[in-house]
Amino acid sequence: MGPSSPARTMRLWGPRSLGVALGVFMTIGFGLQLLGGAFQRRLPRLQLRQSWTTSLGSAVPSCLPRQRLVFLKTHKSGSSSVLSLLHRYGDRHGLRFALPTRYQFGYPRLFRASQVKGYHPQGGGTQPPFHILCHHMRFNLKEVLQVMPSDSFFFSIVRDPAALARSAFSYYKSTSSAFRKAPSLAAFLANPRAFYRPGGRGDYYARNLLWFDFGLPFPPEKRINRGNPKDPDSHQGHVLPSGTGPRAQILDPNALLQPVSTVADGHSQAVSPTSFNLGSSSFIQWGLAWLDSVFDLVMVAEYFDESLVLLADALCWGLDDVVGFMHNAQAGGEHGLRAAGTGGLTAEDQQLTARARAWNNLDWALYVHFNRSLWARIEQYGQRRLKHAVAELRALREAMAKHCLQGGKALDPKYITNSQFRPFQYGSAKVLGYALRSSLSPQDREECERLATPELQYKDKLDAKQFPSPVSISLKTSRLLSSRHQATD
């Protein structure tokens, strides 16, 4: 469970030599031949996943579902919708969440194991294991591995920085000093240095937010002023991520991190004239390679449903486990679910997109890299198979929306009278939510509630379930004793 576990250590050290890799696989293959089925039961990850069934509802897979999960919930990238399905899955299966005391793990500071409610360091007494770590944090692998097993499934999600910038400007305008001073996003991107100052309050929202969330160090010219005592990056934000060891020596902190022209990616259709030549910066290459060694999957918001299918396959879950509704979506927003690119945009919008990607050039490098890796994974999965699975996923979602929701879709919060389902409102745009149909059966209502409950209310529900208050325990006990007494009368 600790940092010294061989599985995660091997991933952190990067790829081994070809000879060592071949030797490892030959040893595994020989062991499989000797031990047969018993060995396969011990290593369910080596088993093959069955294809999706052709009818609605998921096929029974031959492998065992993964239930030790670490999800890095990035900002304004569709991550609340992923969080919703994790809440629902864990709640349904009785899994134990590593929860923050409030709603985030000390963000914007780096994650610390001590921020997990109910966590006790080794030697501090026995405690049930955690299954899922998924709430907002700034990633810190060393501390995460104090809480979660090293063979947990690590995943996250990224979004085109141009779309992310639009959403972040609307949502965090009152939080970021740079955004607050700018009359509009277009004005900000036309001359960001006029508004942005390193170390400004909340200005991690205004530039390279994904890079920041992943806990990666910043090059010297992008570092926030160390003299600011409120600076979340001072003294610890630029420490190399845990586990890098000698790899830190390949960093070139003086490299110029400016985007240059590149050829468009044939799969993603997401590359603008302002792209990254990843070979020009060993600093960026190192950061991306390190993330590849840690994360099993990075989803892409613009291909959300495709990413969900790949997630279900990687976790050996059914499609019904990853189907759900969009959460924390802003009214009038595009939810980040449309393919990135400049096709169909006005000249003004194209200019804003190019400027947003250039200003958030580290995030653009992240996005291009993980967009390519996603499509490489799709090729391996099979385009035709993926198309069928995505169609099934969308049909399931539509059927569930019609069955559960008033109007079959998201609503303006003014139409949501039940506070259990009214989403937290923040920023200048309204955050949409859901209201349930009144004619649901008790069983259907329970599942529909799981689908429609916003993240803050669901976190409170899980918290109360894992850490019931003494008052609620005494009430439950008294009711139980009362019912037993009545039954004996």
Side-chain angles (χ1 to χ4, degrees):
M1 179 170 172
S4 61
S5 174
R8 186 63 57 180
T9 300
M10 180 176 292
R11 293 165 66 187
L12 290 176
W13 285 357
R16 302 286 189 178
S17 66
L18 179 59
V20 173
L22 288 175
V24 170
F25 286 117
M26 289 176 66
T27 302
I28 292 174
F30 183 69
L32 284 171
Q33 291 180 15
L34 287 177
L35 300 178
F39 191 81
Q40 292 182 22
R41 284 192 294 273
R42 290 175 57 201
L43 294 178
R45 293 180 66 184
L46 296 180
Q47 298 181 11
L48 297 177
R49 180 70 194 270
Q50 291 182 347
S51 301
W52 297 113
T53 181
T54 54
S55 61
L56 289 182
S58 302
V60 177
S62 61
C63 50
L64 296 178
R66 302 285 300 275
Q67 295 187 336
R68 302 283 186 172
L69 312 174
V70 175
F71 174 59
L72 176 60
K73 187 179 186 296
T74 53
H75 287 82
K76 312 313 298 176
S77 300
S79 61
S80 293
S81 302
V82 181
L83 183 70
S84 174
L85 68 89
L86 293 176
H87 280 165
R88 189 174 77 252
Y89 183 91
D91 187 22
R92 186 192 299 148
H93 292 275
L95 304 183
R96 191 163 184 258
F97 287 81
L99 297 172
T101 303
R102 300 192 68 178
Y103 299 104
Q104 299 184 356
F105 289 109
Y107 192 89
R109 297 192 178 276
L110 291 167
F111 172 82
R112 297 195 310 274
S114 60
Q115 296 165 336
V116 175
K117 190 172 182 178
Y119 167 77
H120 303 289
Q122 293 181 359
T126 59
Q127 62 177 4
F130 294 110
H131 297 93
I132 302 177
L133 174 64
C134 58
H135 292 86
H136 269 313
M137 63 172 160
R138 189 173 181 216
F139 191 66
N140 183 359
L141 180 60
K142 180 180 179 181
E143 290 290 308
V144 167
L145 291 176
Q146 301 301 317
V147 178
M148 299 297 297
S150 61
D151 62 350
S152 300
F153 186 89
F154 283 63
F155 70 112
S156 188
I157 185 169
V158 297
R159 185 184 188 184
D160 183 343
L164 192 154
R166 291 180 173 91
S167 180
F169 186 85
S170 171
Y171 199 79
Y172 297 117
K173 185 168 176 56
S174 63
T175 306
S176 165
S177 61
F179 285 163
R180 189 166 56 248
K181 290 180 287 186
S184 66
L185 178 61
F188 174 79
L189 292 173
N191 186 15
R193 296 290 183 186
F195 308 101
Y196 178 88
R197 292 291 182 273
R201 185 176 180 84
D203 280 357
Y204 39 86
Y205 292 123
R207 190 177 195 193
N208 292 314
L209 180 55
L210 291 174
W211 192 274
F212 184 87
D213 283 352
F214 275 101
L216 292 168
F218 282 77
E221 63 271 24
K222 297 186 188 302
R223 293 186 184 181
I224 299 175
N225 182 8
R226 292 174 180 263
N228 184 352
K230 296 182 179 180
D231 169 18
D233 278 343
S234 63
H235 78 266
Q236 61 175 332
H238 305 296
V239 176
L240 295 176
S242 165
T244 56
R247 295 186 61 186
Q249 302 304 316
I250 71 170
L251 284 174
D252 179 11
N254 297 313
L256 295 178
L257 303 177
Q258 297 300 323
V260 296
S261 299
T262 188
V263 178
D265 187 303
H267 290 304
S268 69
Q269 302 176 5
V271 179
S272 77
T274 311
S275 184
F276 246 114
N277 177 0
L278 299 184
S280 68
S281 172
S282 59
F283 178 87
I284 295 176
Q285 284 184 319
W286 172 86
L288 298 176
W290 186 82
L291 292 178
D292 281 338
S293 75
V294 175
F295 286 87
D296 298 283
L297 173 69
V298 176
M299 305 167 65
V300 175
E302 282 72 21
Y303 300 98
F304 190 75
D305 289 342
E306 291 84 352
S307 295
L308 287 179
V309 170
L310 295 178
L311 177 66
D313 185 67
L315 297 180
C316 196
W317 290 7
L319 278 184
D320 57 337
D321 292 320
V322 297
V323 68
F325 305 146
M326 294 303 300
H327 283 268
N328 208 28
Q330 298 178 20
E334 299 181 5
H335 306 180
L337 301 184
R338 295 169 62 179
T342 56
L345 298 179
T346 64
E348 182 179 358
D349 284 337
Q350 289 185 31
Q351 183 183 58
L352 187 147
T353 294
R355 286 175 171 174
R357 291 170 176 171
W359 173 245
N360 298 284
N361 52 357
L362 298 179
D363 280 6
W364 180 237
L366 274 176
Y367 180 80
V368 169
H369 176 78
F370 286 120
N371 192 33
R372 287 172 177 163
S373 67
L374 180 82
W375 281 94
R377 197 164 185 144
I378 287 173
E379 289 296 326
Q380 185 179 17
Y381 184 89
Q383 293 254 15
R384 182 176 298 180
R385 181 184 173 208
L386 180 76
K387 183 178 180 181
H388 171 77
V390 167
E392 183 179 348
L393 178 72
R394 291 171 177 169
L396 280 168
R397 182 186 294 130
E398 183 178 358
M400 294 169 77
K402 289 181 179 178
H403 181 72
C404 292
L405 305 178
Q406 290 184 18
K409 62 181 181 180
L411 300 175
D412 186 295
K414 67 182 179 182
Y415 298 115
I416 304 173
T417 56
N418 189 337
S419 61
Q420 178 184 353
F421 303 113
R422 190 181 303 118
F424 176 66
Q425 299 298 310
Y426 192 81
S428 58
K430 293 180 180 178
V431 178
L432 303 178
Y434 302 99
L436 300 186
R437 293 174 57 234
S438 58
S439 58
L440 295 170
S441 68
Q443 183 178 359
D444 285 352
R445 184 172 184 83
E446 181 181 10
E447 185 59 26
C448 291
E449 283 182 354
R450 289 193 178 112
L451 287 161
T453 301
E455 61 181 284
L456 301 189
Q457 288 93 319
Y458 216 136
K459 186 269 176 185
D460 289 340
K461 173 186 175 182
L462 295 170
D463 200 315
K465 183 178 180 180
Q466 288 185 199
F467 305 98
S469 66
V471 175
S472 64
I473 293 177
S474 62
L475 286 174
K476 187 181 295 185
T477 303
S478 63
R479 288 170 184 167
L480 179 62
L481 292 175
S482 175
S483 63
R484 287 179 177 176
H485 178 71
Q486 292 173 6
T488 57
D489 287 345

